[in-house]
Amino acid sequence: MEITYILLGEILGILLLFQFFSSWIVISITLFSLGTVYFFTKKKSILIYIIPILFVIRLVFGVHSGDFDYLENIRLKVELNRGVGKVLKIDNKNLKNLTFVYMSELADGKYNVLGEFKELEKKEDIDIISINRLEVEKLEDSFLEKYFENRVEGFIEKGDRYFKRVYRAIILGESREIPKELREKFNYVGVSHLFALSGLHIGIIIGVISFISSKFSISRDKRYWAILIGLTLYFLGIKHSPSLIRAYIMGVIFLFGKILYENIDIEKSLAVSFIVSLFLNPISIYEVSFKLSYLAVAAIIFIYPFIIKFYKGKSKTVKNIILIGTIQIFLTPILIKEFGTIQLFSIFSNLIIVPLGSLYITLAFIGLLFENFGLGVVIFPFVNIIFKLLIKVVEIFSNIPMLTIKYSGNKDNTIFLLFYVIIFGMIFYNKFKMEGKKDEKIYRRTKISQ
């Protein structure tokens, strides 16, 4: 079994233990398990033992327990938007639950807040914390954040309200900027993923920079280094989400593979991205965008190739329908659990809106690039026309009944978890069975040649 998949299993096992047991019990079980693995298997790869231990340390010292004493001094890092602050960290530790604090009199932005804990109110899947504020320090944006903010503001100056909000969402990652009525339409027609920074956007950025750099007489290696540097500068200048972090890590792995002339295993790239993302923020696994992002890519990588084997035709349209259908069916349990919806016929809206949306996003990034040289005004009319056409098509589909329906039945976590455990169990069982057969054939050939 590949080391990458063993590490993935260990990380998921540790997270599961942390759901039910105290830190010291998890540490004890982890050390005992690793010792047992070494004793019985004699596996010599040090990563199998070091990575789980480091991850346990990361959880113990990097995740807040959520327990507070009345009037205890706590330090919050808060991202404020229209008076509602999303608590990013407490005492420099990540939080187990999505937590908010109200600070209506302050301007939008990031703050360090020192306060006395008063109350923790739980509402469904979120926590609302109340404090007596003692100190408030506004955090300034970095140079790159200010730079991209200024370029975006310059480009969208002549756009209408919808154009400005959506453009900020797809370029700066400010998805909360999208008006509620427009977001509801995107959700109904099943294309909300277009407006959340993810693999599509990273792929477009890589493609745009690659195309431009290919017009200069520079070596292959320098071209890929230029793409990597450009992608990283952009990543550091915008808001991060689990889907963006996943896509960036996979993009970096792809580019390093090109630089080092190595063949990239996309399955292992996804696993490595998953592990690195959890090291950066172990609690992100509980965020909806994290689940949707990784499960969507897993459906493309693991499930679609298996299903498409049964289609013998060559029609790209049919293949696209199968691909979109595969992703939507695979994500249905999460959509039911988190949003109470089933995307029944939105597969057809995706066939039209996704290509149009991809064109808009590509032109939007080219517009940003032009704005760096004061030429954004040249391409703005084209971006605006495509945007208005995109919104018009979304509105047409939003009036079609039954694209997405509400579900109000059983939402038991056990059922949904069992669904994914069975699916992934079958996938990896089949994968390692096939690899075992290949190894056996290689062994037989080697034996015969001897």
Side-chain angles (χ1 to χ4, degrees):
M1 187 182 292
E2 294 284 354
I3 291 176
T4 307
Y5 299 121
I6 294 175
L7 291 174
L8 184 61
E10 290 175 331
I11 296 298
L12 289 174
I14 291 169
L15 280 171
L16 187 62
L17 289 173
F18 258 92
Q19 282 289 96
F20 301 102
F21 303 106
S22 67
S23 299
W24 289 111
I25 292 177
V26 174
I27 292 172
S28 301
I29 294 175
T30 301
L31 292 176
F32 176 78
S33 300
L34 293 175
T36 302
V37 168
Y38 179 79
F39 181 80
F40 285 103
T41 66
K42 304 295 183 184
K43 286 189 177 292
K44 297 180 180 180
S45 175
I46 192 171
L47 290 176
I48 293 177
Y49 308 101
I50 294 297
I51 296 298
I53 292 173
L54 291 176
F55 187 64
V56 169
I57 293 173
R58 176 75 176 92
L59 283 170
V60 171
F61 295 100
V63 178
H64 201 283
S65 64
D67 297 326
F68 305 96
D69 293 326
Y70 183 66
L71 296 183
E72 170 191 356
N73 280 2
I74 56 176
R75 188 173 294 276
L76 292 72
K77 184 176 182 181
V78 177
E79 183 178 25
L80 191 64
N81 184 274
R82 297 184 179 90
V84 180
K86 180 181 179 181
V87 181
L88 305 177
K89 290 186 177 183
I90 293 183
D91 295 333
N92 205 32
K93 294 182 178 181
N94 297 111
L95 303 169
K96 287 186 176 181
N97 298 323
L98 189 60
T99 305
F100 293 93
V101 61
Y102 295 117
M103 297 189 297
S104 57
E105 72 279 11
L106 298 177
D108 291 354
K110 290 184 180 180
Y111 294 86
N112 277 333
V113 181
L114 176 65
E116 295 176 331
F117 172 77
K118 289 174 56 181
E119 183 182 12
L120 183 66
E121 181 183 359
K122 293 187 176 292
K123 290 186 176 181
E124 296 182 357
D125 295 330
I126 66 171
D127 292 345
I128 299 175
I129 193 168
S130 300
I131 60 171
N132 293 321
R133 290 202 301 273
L134 302 176
E135 296 177 11
V136 177
E137 175 192 6
K138 193 174 192 310
L139 300 177
E140 295 296 326
D141 290 337
S142 68
F143 169 78
L144 285 173
E145 288 172 329
K146 290 178 180 177
Y147 181 83
F148 283 109
E149 172 71 27
N150 291 334
R151 297 290 81 75
V152 166
E153 282 299 313
F155 185 77
I156 66 177
E157 183 179 2
K158 295 183 179 180
D160 61 21
R161 170 173 169 262
Y162 277 180
F163 182 91
K164 291 178 178 179
R165 295 282 187 91
V166 174
Y167 192 88
R168 292 183 67 87
I170 65 165
I171 298 296
L172 298 177
E174 298 178 355
S175 57
R176 286 187 294 178
E177 288 287 326
I178 298 177
K180 182 181 178 181
E181 65 274 15
L182 195 56
R183 188 186 300 115
E184 289 175 350
K185 291 178 181 178
F186 291 156
N187 291 336
Y188 177 75
V189 300
V191 295
S192 57
H193 58 280
L194 282 175
F195 305 96
L197 287 174
S198 61
L200 171 65
H201 304 74
I202 294 297
I204 288 173
I205 294 170
I206 291 175
V208 170
I209 300 176
S210 178
F211 175 78
I212 294 172
S213 60
S214 67
K215 301 305 176 183
F216 296 90
S217 56
I218 58 176
S219 67
R220 175 187 179 278
D221 288 355
K222 288 181 179 178
R223 182 155 61 91
Y224 281 114
W225 275 113
I227 298 171
L228 179 59
I229 292 171
L231 180 63
T232 300
L233 290 175
Y234 172 72
F235 177 78
L236 294 175
I238 61 174
K239 293 185 183 297
H240 296 163
S241 64
S243 59
L244 177 64
I245 294 171
R246 187 268 307 161
Y248 172 73
I249 294 171
M250 293 186 72
V252 169
I253 293 171
F254 166 78
L255 292 171
F256 268 119
K258 291 293 184 180
I259 292 170
L260 300 174
Y261 294 87
E262 294 286 342
N263 290 325
I264 301 301
D265 186 330
I266 192 168
E267 296 176 3
K268 292 178 185 175
S269 297
L270 180 64
V272 170
S273 170
F274 186 88
I275 293 170
V276 172
S277 294
L278 290 179
F279 261 96
L280 293 174
N281 182 6
I283 306 306
S284 62
I285 194 171
Y286 302 115
E287 296 186 23
V288 179
S289 59
F290 184 97
K291 299 172 187 175
L292 291 175
S293 176
Y294 277 98
L295 287 175
V297 178
I300 295 171
I301 295 175
F302 295 108
I303 300 177
Y304 173 71
F306 173 76
I307 294 176
I308 199 64
K309 290 178 182 178
F310 297 97
Y311 175 65
K312 305 301 181 183
K314 296 182 180 180
S315 171
K316 289 185 178 180
T317 301
V318 174
K319 289 181 178 179
N320 285 336
I321 291 174
I322 294 173
L323 174 61
I324 296 170
T326 300
I327 296 171
Q328 290 190 349
I329 291 172
F330 194 62
L331 295 182
T332 294
I334 293 293
L335 295 175
I336 291 174
K337 175 67 176 64
E338 302 294 343
F339 305 109
T341 61
I342 300 175
Q343 294 183 348
L344 201 58
F345 297 114
S346 58
I347 182 173
F348 301 108
S349 60
N350 271 260
L351 285 173
I352 297 174
I353 297 175
V354 169
L356 186 59
S358 299
L359 174 60
Y360 163 66
I361 293 167
T362 303
L363 290 175
F365 277 109
I366 294 174
L368 178 66
L369 183 64
F370 275 43
E371 187 63 27
N372 285 278
F373 306 100
L375 299 174
V377 66
V378 175
I379 197 172
F380 173 81
F382 300 100
V383 181
N384 195 34
I385 290 171
I386 297 299
F387 173 75
K388 289 185 181 301
L389 178 59
L390 173 63
I391 297 302
K392 186 64 178 178
V393 174
V394 168
E395 288 177 349
I396 291 172
F397 275 100
S398 68
N399 291 319
I400 298 176
M402 303 294 288
L403 286 184
T404 297
I405 61 174
K406 291 288 183 180
Y407 174 86
S408 57
N410 188 5
K411 296 182 182 180
D412 186 359
N413 283 332
T414 306
I415 297 174
F416 300 121
L417 181 61
L418 187 60
F419 171 81
Y420 288 113
V421 168
I422 292 173
I423 295 294
F424 279 111
M426 292 171 62
I427 290 171
F428 285 105
Y429 172 78
N430 183 66
K431 176 179 174 60
F432 293 124
K433 184 178 179 181
M434 294 298 293
E435 288 184 356
K437 288 181 178 179
K438 288 180 182 179
D439 293 339
E440 187 178 349
K441 287 180 180 179
I442 294 172
Y443 172 77
R444 287 177 179 175
R445 289 173 184 171
T446 305
K447 191 173 181 180
I448 292 172
S449 64
Q450 291 176 345

